[in-house]
Amino acid sequence: MSGVSEILESFHALLSASSTIWVELAAALCFTLGFLLLRIKSSKHPAKGAKKINATTRVHKVQSNNFSKQRTRMEDAANSGNATKLVQEWRAVQASSPTPKDLLKPVVQAFLDTETKALVPEIMAHLQCHKSIMANQWAATTILDAVARSGNMKVLEDFWGRITKELGIPHGWLLYEAAIAGYAAAGYPEKVEEFNLAMQKDNFRLSARGYSLIIKGFLKNGFVDEVLQYMVEMTQRSHAIPSFSVAQLLRVASETKRVQEVHKKLKERAIPMLPEAIAVLLEDCSRVPDGKFAHAIEQDARAANTELTASSYESLLKVYAASGDGHALQILKEIQNANLPISDSLCVSLLTRCAESKFIRLAEEIVCHVRKTSKMSIPIYSSLMKVYAYSKMYHKACDLYDDILADGIEPDGMMYGCLMKFSVECGRTQLSQKLSEKVSVPDIQNYMSLIRAAGRDRDVDRAFAVLQQLRESNVAPDSIALNCVVDVCVKAGNIQRAEKLVAEMEDLKLEDIITYNTLLKGYCQKHDSKAAKNLFSKMEESGKEPNEVSYNCLLNCLSSNGNYQDCWEIVDHMRKRNVQPDHYTVSILLKGTKNMRGAHDVQKCFDFLDQSGVDPCCDDILLNTVLEIYIRHKEFGRLSRLVAKFEKSNLQPSMATYGSIIKAFANLNEVDKCWFYWDQIQEEHGLEPNDIVWGCMLDALVTNRQVDDAMQLFQRQRRKPNAVICSILVKGLANTQQPRRALQLWREMKQNGMKMNVVAYNVMIDSQARLGNMDEVMEIVQEMAADNCQPDSITHSTICKGYAVKGELAKAIEVLENMQQSKVPHDAIVYNTILDGCAKHKRVELVEPILETMEANAIAPTNFTLGILLKIYGRQRDLDKAFEAFEALPRKGRFQPNAQVWSSLMNACITTQSTDKALKVFKDMQGAGVMPETRACTSLVQSLVRLEKLHEAIDVVDLVYGLRTKPSHKQRTSIDEECLESLLTILAQKGFLEELGAPLLQRLRAAKVSVSGRLMASALRTEVPTAPKSSSTKKYDDKKDTGHPWGAKDKTIGFGK
C-alpha cells in the first residue's frame, strides 16, 4: 500500500508541476483523437469518390513540387541574408501553403528588416488563411519571440492584442515569457512587472528560462536593482541563477561604482560567488585600489573553497602591491607554486604599483622571479629603478647600472637620463659624468643633470662650464636650463653671480616666476629679508605675480628670523591676493612654533592649520612636522585625531614618517601600534629600519616603562650601538631604578666600540646621580675625560644633583663654585638642584647664600626656583617670606607664575592654617586665568570643611568645575571624590543637604562631571541629627517631601537617571 501511495503522490506532484501547460496538452490530445477518428471513418468507405480523390492527389503532388522549389528559394534567400527576396518568395506561396516551422522566424525577421509596417497585417492574414494549422501557440510564440528580440515594442503590442482577439489564441506561458523578455531587453522594467502580474493572474509562473531572459535584458540596460530583485525571486522559486549573470551584474555595478553595495546584497541573500564573479570583484578592487575589500573577498572565496583564477591572482597582486600589503608575498608564492604565468607586462605593472607604495620587498621578489623564469628587460629595469627612486634609495637605483651591463643590455636614452638624475641625487658625481659620456648626442635633459650634479657639489664654475658646452653644441639654453644654473649659484651662496645671470635672462626675456623664486630663495638663505622684500615688490611691478612658492620663501625667511608678526601680515597678503596656502605654507608656520614663546602665536598656527583646508596626510614631510609640533606642545587630543586620520589615508609613509608615527603612538601610550608599524616596515615593505626609527621604537618602549622589551629589541637587532641608543636605554633603566644594569650596559657598549658624546655621558651620570651613587659618577667622569669629552653645564648640574640627593650639599656648592671660577656657562638649573637638596635635607641656612650667589652671577630665577622657596618657607611657617618671594622673583626672572607655583603658595597658606589667605590666593589665581592643581584644590576644600566654612567650600567647587560660569580654562583640575563625600556628609549633618548639597550635585551632573554612585549614596544614607524643632523648622520639614529632589522616592529615582 505504501508503494501505491507513493506512486499516487508522485502522480499528483507531476500534475501540479505541469498545471501551467495542461490546457495546451489537452487541446493537442483532442486534436490527435479527432484526426484518428476521421482517418478510421474514411478507411471504411474506400470506393466512394475514388476517382475524385485520385484527381485531387495528382493536383496536390503538382502543388507540392511547386512549393518544394519555392521553399528551396526561400531557404537560399534566408541563408544569404537577402531579406527583400525572402519576403517576395514568401508572398508568392503564402496563400497556398502554410509557412514551415523552420522558415517562420526568418520570414518575420525579414519583414522587420525591410517592411515593418506590413508585418502584422500580412502575417495575421496568413495565420487566418491557414488557421487550422498555424493558429496555435508555437506559431504565435515564434513570431512574438522574433519581434521581441528586434526591440520593436510597438509591433509586439499590436501583435499581442490581435492574436487573441482575431485568432482566438490564448496567452500561454511561452507567449508571456517572450513578451516579457522583449520588454526587459528594450529597457521597460515597469512593463515587465505589468506582464509578470498578468501572467500570475492567468495562473502561470515564470520559468527559469523566463527569469534568465529578464536578467539578461536588464543587465544589457544596466538595471542593477531590477536584476537583484529577479535574482532574489529566482532563489525563492528554487531556480538556479544563470552562471553568467552574477559576474555580469558585478561588471555593471563596477561601471556605476556600486560593486561593494551589490556584493553586500548578494552576500546577504546567500547568492553564491563563482570564480568568474570573484575575478570581477577583485579586478574592481585593483582599479581603486581597495586592499581591505580585496582581503574580504579573498577570505570569503577561500572559506567557500572557490577556486581563484589566474585573473583573480593577478588582481590580488595588483591591489596588495598598490596598498603595500605584505600578503602580496604569499599570493606571489601561490602563483609560483601553481606554475601560473606572470607576463612581463604584469611585472611592469606590479613594479609601478610597488614604487607608489614603496613596497621594495615585493618588487625585489618579482625581479627575482623574472630572473629565474625569463630574462630581464629594459622596461623591468626601468620600473625597478622607479621603485628605488620613489623610496629615495637613489644609490640602489644607480647600482642597477652594473647589473644592466652584466645582462648584456644597452640602456636607452631615457634610462641614461634617469640614471644621471639618480646619480646626482645620491652624490655620485663621477658616475653622472661617466653616464654623460655614454650618450652620443646629449639632449638638454642630460645637460641639466650635469648642472644639477655641479649644484650638489656647490661648484658654480662647473655649472657655467656645462652651460657653455650647451651653447657650443648649437642648443640655445632655455629658461629651464638657465634657472638650474641660477639654482646652483644660490646653493653655493654666490648671490652676485646669480643676480648677474638673472639680469642676462631679463635682457633675453627668458626670466619667469621660477627665476625670481630661485633668487628669492637665495636672499632668504642669507636671511636678507630686506632684499627679499625688494625682489617681491619688483615681481609684482613687473607683472610676475608671486605664487605660493614666492610667499613660502618669504615666510620661511621671516619665520627663521623670528619675525612672526610679519609672517601673519604675509599670510593676510596671500588671502587678499587669493593665493591659497599649501602644505609648505603650513609646514613653515608650524616649524616656527619651536621658537615661539607666546601661547597666542602657537594657537594661531594651530587655527591656521584647521582653517587652511590642507590635509596633513597629503604629504609625509608635513605630517612629520605636524606630529612633532603636537607632541612638543602636548596637544594629545589633536595628535590622536591626526594619527587616526593617517591610518585611514592612502599616504605611503617614508622611513622618517614611520619614526614620527611610532613616536606619536608612544606619546599616546599605544605601544601595540608602535609594534604594528615597526613590523610593517620589515615584514610588509621589506625595509631595514634606520638608526633613527630604531631609536624611536626603543624610546617608545622606554617611555611606556617597557624597558625589558626595549633591551630585548636592542639585543635582537645586533647593530653597532651608538650614543643615542645608549642614552635611550640608560634613561629607561634609570627611570625604573636600575642603575647597576645601566652601568653594565654602558660598559658593554664601550667594549663593543661605541663612541660616546657629551649627551650620552650626561645621561649616564644622571642614571647614577639621581640615586646619589657618587662613586659611580666619578668613574663615569674619569671615562669622560679619557674620551676627550668636555663636560658642559648639564654635566656639572647633574653632579651637583648627585651630591644634593646624597645630602652632601657642601660638595654640591663646591662644584658650583668651580663652575663659576672656570666660567662654565650655567643657568638656574644647577642652583635649583642645590636649593631642592636644601629643601629635602632641611638645610635652610644655605638658602639665602645661594640666592645671593644667583643674583651676583646674574642668574635669573625661574618658576622652579620660586616653587622650591615656597615649599621651604611653607615648612618654616613663614608666610611673609613666601609672599615676598612670590612678588619679587617673577619680576627678577621676568616670568609669570605657573599653576605649580600658585598651588605651592596656596599649600603654604593651608599648612600654616591661614585658610582665608589660601582662599584669596585661589581667587587671585582665577583672576590670573590659572587653575591650581587637583591636590591643592582638594586641600583647600578640606581646610574649609574643617573650619565649617561650607558656603566658601561650595564656591571653590563651583569655580573648579565652572558650574556657575563658563570656565575660561580647559577643564583639567578636579577635586578628590573623598573630599566631595566629606563635604556632602557635613552638609547633611548640619541640615544643609536640601539647601546646598542637592543643588550642588545637580550642578555637577548638569556640567557632565562624573558623579559616582558612592558619592550620591553618601548623601542619601546620611541622616540629619534629631533635635528639638521650632515651629518654623517644622513648617519647613512638612514641605520638603514635595519641594526637593531628595524628598520622595520617585523624585530620587528621577534625579538618579
Side-chain angles (χ1 to χ4, degrees), residues 508-706:
L508 296 170
K509 304 297 182 184
L510 291 175
E511 84 284 4
D512 56 17
I513 188 66
I514 297 174
T515 310
Y516 289 123
N517 283 342
T518 307
L519 186 58
L520 186 64
K521 183 173 69 174
Y523 290 138
C524 293
Q525 287 176 355
K526 293 287 186 180
H527 299 286
D528 191 348
S529 56
K530 182 178 179 181
K533 288 181 178 180
N534 290 337
L535 180 59
F536 211 86
S537 301
K538 180 182 177 180
M539 291 166 66
E540 293 179 326
E541 292 169 1
S542 63
K544 301 288 191 302
E545 281 293 329
N547 57 14
E548 63 275 7
V549 178
S550 316
Y551 284 103
N552 289 339
C553 281
L554 191 55
L555 278 173
N556 192 40
C557 177
L558 296 172
S559 178
S560 301
N561 294 336
N563 300 332
Y564 302 117
Q565 186 59 40
D566 291 346
C567 285
W568 294 119
E569 290 178 4
I570 293 296
V571 170
D572 292 337
H573 196 267
M574 288 178 70
R575 289 171 177 158
K576 291 176 183 177
R577 294 298 181 101
N578 293 322
V579 178
Q580 293 299 319
D582 58 10
H583 59 279
Y584 291 109
T585 316
V586 175
S587 181
I588 290 165
L589 289 172
L590 288 177
K591 284 179 181 177
T593 60
K594 295 178 183 178
N595 302 316
M596 290 179 183
R597 293 185 178 180
H600 174 73
D601 283 330
V602 175
Q603 187 59 45
K604 203 169 182 179
C605 285
F606 291 153
D607 293 340
F608 178 76
L609 171 61
D610 297 337
Q611 298 165 9
S612 67
V614 176
D615 181 6
C617 298
C618 70
D619 177 76
D620 57 349
I621 296 175
L622 175 61
L623 179 61
N624 293 340
T625 302
V626 178
L627 288 172
E628 181 185 349
I629 298 304
Y630 285 171
I631 292 170
R632 177 181 290 111
H633 292 281
K634 302 186 184 305
E635 290 284 340
F636 296 127
R638 291 176 178 269
L639 184 65
S640 179
R641 291 192 294 272
L642 180 55
V643 293
K645 189 174 186 180
F646 159 75
E647 292 193 304
K648 294 178 182 178
S649 74
N650 295 321
L651 180 67
Q652 298 299 329
S654 63
M655 191 62 72
T657 306
Y658 271 116
S660 299
I661 291 295
I662 289 172
K663 192 186 299 183
F665 280 115
N667 278 272
L668 295 172
N669 302 321
E670 296 186 39
V671 182
D672 290 343
K673 287 285 187 180
C674 298
W675 279 117
F676 172 79
Y677 286 103
W678 172 262
D679 293 337
Q680 188 181 83
I681 297 171
Q682 301 171 94
E683 296 176 6
E684 294 191 12
H685 295 304
L687 298 173
E688 185 67 23
N690 58 25
D691 286 347
I692 296 174
V693 178
W694 188 31
C696 288
M697 187 62 208
L698 290 173
D699 189 62
L701 297 171
V702 165
T703 303
N704 288 276
R705 305 187 72 81
Q706 297 184 15

